[in-house]
Amino acid sequence: MVKDLRILCSVSLSYLSYLSRYLSSFFFVFATISLFFEAFVSLRRRFSLQQDGVEGFFLLSGEERGADFVVNLPLYYTTTLGRARSSDVRIKGKGVKRHHAIIYLYSGSWRLAQASPSAGIYLNDKEITKTIRLKHEDVIQIAKTKFLFFDERKSAKKSGVKYAGISALEKSFSYEQESLPRAASILLTLYLPLAILQVVFMIPSELQTLIPLTVLLSSLFILLLLASGLIWQQLFSFFDGLTYSAFCLLMSLGFVIQIRLSLLNRSMPQTDAWNEHRWLEFLKMDLIKQSIFPILGLIIMPIVIIIVSRTRLLEKLAPLCIVITPILYLATILLGSDIAGTGARLWIVLPLGFSLQLGEFAKISYLLVLAWFFKAKLSFKRQILFFLWAGINFILILLLPDLGSLMILLPLTLLVFTVMTSEYLKTFLLLSMGSFVFFLSYQLLPYVKLRIHGWLTLWTEVNAQNDQIIRGLKAISRGGLFGIGTGRGEPRAIPLASSDMIFSFLVEEQGILLGLAVIVIFMTIWLRGANSFLITRDSFSAALTLGISSYFFIEAAVVVAGCTGLIPLTGVTLPFIARGGSSMLAKYFLAGVLLGLWNRREKGDFTS
């Protein structure tokens, strides 16, 4: 009788878990929609402000055409002067370069700098060669054209008149005093415990002793996640609650998925070396290992936010990373092992069953170097040096081999280069060179040829190269709109379901709607990165912000496209969701850097 009652309770809890997936998916999807809408509206406002110019500041242009006259020119947060059509202020005349000078707002003050090497710029009749802070009524001369820098507040103060206009900087940042979005935070608070309970309800009877440990680790993760947002909201005036909430959704989903993979649908090896006690201990250690990395990431992330926002340590480390990046790839080539059986020697085996992926940390150092090169206007010589350095790293990545990293870093590099330099012709040439290198890789490297062959024959035959994608597509089709429910999927039917093919497995159990919501979250992070990019006043922070936000989006796009057969499978994992130690910690570190860069604009932004 007691046994029958236990079976009945088990069935009831299992069915309740099955039904509750509709509610948890509703919470997750609507939290995602709320964040995306707020991010989109905020970016649209930012573009509106950028087009209007900064209130209270402008240039007076004086030219001689038989008689003197004055033209009032608005100043934008970054204003370029030159003869190019793309310049904000066009100057015609002999000796004027396409992009001659740049005037930009940084830490509450306006700066004047050369936009091209050897560009002749005079400030108050003295030639300048480095960045200079502008003051009210400074005279800037380029060729035969003179400009008077005008600050209405200073002018009003001299005249004894109180300036009535709203502070330009206050107007700029008033939209960005984002607390944790209320709707999204409430939905997240409801989603995470419910999703964890779905896993707990599905734990089989022989693993019931692991439930207290699961609840303890989950409670610790939830407390860290919610407490961190409230603490940083109090510490920073411009804490970006939208981006933090987007990261929280991804972290929560990843935590739930990894607990589910650790406890459900596991089978004990049928050998004499294994018994029930050893199997239980193995699952316990696996649960701890997969839970500890996101918990450790939540501890590391706040430290990174404080360091990035309050210091310039990243700028100091970036030159060192020029050497560190290729060394990390070389160490992986020499010491790496193929523990996943994919043909890529990406893991360095450590004691106690742990492994380390130096390539994940090499991506961080690569992004730092990429931003460091753009901290000043890139001369042609500097561009050549950067692309030689990047080319060396790309060759080392191909030797690993790690096609996925190349498919992320190459378009990311081209994107940052294009946005930061506006050199569209060079971008086209570099893209053509990249296509040629890819063609050579296809001809010379067998593993690249095999990947392409598997992708091209995806709809005509089943072979060893496309079997993984086909199984993933079948899992997606089984999932349908709402999924088949937590614990009801079969990860063993999909090779590398916990890492490379995590998106297929996610859709199988949670549904296409939740899979689309994950894509939208990465779009939201990119929108916030674009917003931060527009208001960042130094080129290093701007390039790094653009690089990190684009990195998350490109990596997610590559994973989703690979799992759905749109591109060849690359071996890249979905950020914050796929299983991994080094990868997980690296993503939490980059999230901390992105949030810290947003807070950098806090100091001095409201000074005149």
Side-chain angles (χ1 to χ4, degrees), residues 579-596:
R579 174 166 292 204
S582 304
S583 175
M584 187 75 71
L585 292 179
K587 299 305 186 294
Y588 275 84
F589 182 90
L590 285 175
V593 172
L594 190 60
L595 291 168

Side-chain angles (χ1 to χ4, degrees), residues 423-490:
E423 298 281 0
Y424 304 109
L425 179 59
K426 288 181 181 178
T427 302
F428 176 76
L429 293 174
L430 290 170
L431 186 61
S432 301
M433 291 173 60
S435 302
F436 179 70
V437 170
F438 180 78
F439 175 75
L440 286 179
S441 301
Y442 175 77
Q443 294 295 326
L444 300 176
L445 300 176
Y447 82 94
V448 175
K449 187 172 290 188
L450 288 174
R451 288 283 178 91
I452 299 297
H453 173 71
W455 178 62
L456 292 175
T457 58
L458 181 63
W459 305 107
T460 58
E461 66 179 46
V462 179
N463 52 55
Q465 284 71 48
N466 61 26
D467 178 66
Q468 192 175 4
I469 304 177
I470 291 172
R471 294 192 185 192
L473 289 172
K474 287 181 178 179
I476 291 174
S477 66
R478 285 195 299 269
L481 201 60
F482 296 102
I484 60 178
T486 300
R488 297 176 181 273
E490 186 48 72

